[in-house]
Every structure is written in structure tokens, then in C-alpha cells.
Amino acid sequence: MLTSTIERLRAEVEELRYAMRGQAVIEQARGLLVERTSCSPDDALDHLTELSRTTGRPLVETAAELLGLAAPPEISPADLPAGCAAGSAPDSAPPAAEPAGPRVVLNAPGAARCHLVASALATARTPDELACVLHQEGLAGLGAASVALAGLEPDGALVLTGTYGVPAAQVSQWQRIPPQTPVPLVDVVRGSGVVWVASPDDFRRRYPLTGEPPMAGRAVCALPLRTAGRTVGALSVGWAEDTARDEVTVHYLLALGQACAAVLARLAASGDGRRHPVAPSGEPWFRAVLDALLDPVLILSAVRDGDEGDGEDGGKVTDFRVEHANTATVSRSTEPRCPGDGTCTQPEWIRPAADSPVPLG
């Protein structure tokens, strides 16, 4: 009973957060209409609602399309500001000058999508959640399989702060990337602009000393994350299949990168910009070791009632939450049980607390 209640409350929270993302886009479009047409806020909302009804599109999509047409994200892929060189101190460096030449404006569908994704990214509470939202809301439609966000350190090194779809072993091996390492993520923060590697053969040709791509995927696009005139990190997007460079996709990724950079900088300033595990169970290397074991292993964290006490030790333990299941656990959890009498049932390897109480001492 308690488990189902917790899951229901989590679902309600996620639905509320999703609604808040859409509301932010609607309010931006509403403000745009007020500014451009000098109408009242109520009239602006009525106009958006009528436009949504006429076109048969959801209100949030109508608002995003309006923002995409009136205020599309502007990018300059042909002449990106140079990144910070190795050994420099990017946080203390003066803002880079704006690049010369015409700026590139996204097409209307891409601009509308960027406004929706940017609103979703702004709700992320951790870099891992930022990477997950970026993939689900902005990159899954492109066929992307993985996302890696890296923060730029004062010495020019990169530290992985958020990932999605990247195996724990790779996260552990590439947790900190020195500034001299020949990989796309380092190249883009040192001023190489966008780096697109179309296949493993292309990677080995361009980075012979590295050998294999550091992040998941056969094709990889890396680009710098810049906000307020400075480089704060780098973004890597991976595809499971060989993928040739496409300029429309590059422009779209650059626009998403601008939104990511602002959120990543905010998280870093608030102290949530990198992983701070309180135990080895949260370390990528530890989870990689568990994934290599042949026996099933679960990492559980306690769910406590109320706010009694202080910190993680406060409150009575009422349930446990699965934080990580190793490869063997996931494999066995999906294998049906066939006792030999002609029937097979799916395993119930995790039972609700009400059915299988756990003695808590």
C-alpha cells in the first residue's frame, strides 16, 4: 500500500512539473503578444487560446510556434568564440567578443522545439537530470542514444557532471579528462568549434592516440557550452549508428547547448553542478564493478517517514528504494520462471512492502 502511494505521488509530482514547463512557454508567448500588440495579458491569452482551437494544436505547442517565429534562438556555428586554452582560468577570463559575420537563425520548427526543450531544461535539479531531460525532450527524436555533460575546471580539465545512456564503466574511466587529452570534448573547449565524428573509423583517423571513442555511440557530436560570454563546459551527443554531419542538426544542437550551458552554470553556482556521492554506492566506478559481477546485486536506499530528526538519519524507515540494479539483476528480472509443469510466470523479485515486509530491527 505504501509503495503504491509513493509511486502515485511521484507520478503526480512529475505531471505537475511537466505542466509547469508548458506554462512557462505559454507565459513567454503571452508576454510577447502584450509587447508586440500592446494588448492586455487576458486578451493575449484569449488570442493564443483561439489560435490553438483554430489550428487544432495544443496550447503549449501553439505558444512555442509563436515564440519560434518571433524570437528564434540565434547561433553562430561558422565562427564560435574561442574556448579557453589548456591551463587558463576560464572563470576569471573576460567575456569573449561577439563573433563577426551574420548569425544563424533556426528554422521555425527547430526554433519552436528549442523553446519547449529550454523550458523543460530549466526544471532540472541535477546535471544527470539535465542530461536525461535533454535526451528525452530534445534529442530522442534525432535518434541520439547518449548524452554527456562536462564542466570546465579552472586548470582546463573537464569533469563529467551529468550523463544519460553512457555505461557506468565509461563514466568511471572518463570521470576527469585532462586538458591535453586528444578527444572531441577537449577540442571544443580549446576553440575547435563543433566536432562531429561520423563513425569509429573516423574517430581513429582523427584521434589515433586515443583509439576508441570515450563516450557511448558510433557517431559523436561535441560542442562547447557557453553562457554569459564564457565557456562553462562541453556537450557530447552520441548515436548508435554511423551518422553523417548535418548542418540543420548542428544548428539545433548549438541552440540546445546554449540553454544547457545556462542551466549547468546555475547548478554549479548552487553546489549541484557535479556528483557529490556520500558513499561509494554513488560512484560510477563502484557501479561499474557491480555490473561486472555474475550474481544479481541491488543498491537500496532507505525511505523514511516525515522529517523527524536531521539529515538522512531522521525518521523511521518505512520502505526501500532501488538506486541501482546491476546487469545480472536486470537480466534475471525479465526471465520467466518455468517449473516444468507447462506454466511460466514472470518473477516477482521485488515485492511491495505490504506483501513482503522487511524486518527493520
Side-chain angles (χ1 to χ4, degrees), residues 311-327:
E312 294 187 354
D313 296 330
K316 181 181 177 180
V317 176
T318 58
D319 205 345
F320 291 94
R321 179 185 299 114
V322 177
E323 297 292 345
H324 179 72
N326 73 342
T327 304

Side-chain angles (χ1 to χ4, degrees), residues 196-207 218 243:
W196 191 295
V197 182
S199 66
D201 288 341
D202 187 19
F203 185 91
R204 285 187 287 269
R205 177 180 59 83
R206 299 170 65 174
Y207 301 95
R218 292 180 60 86
T243 306

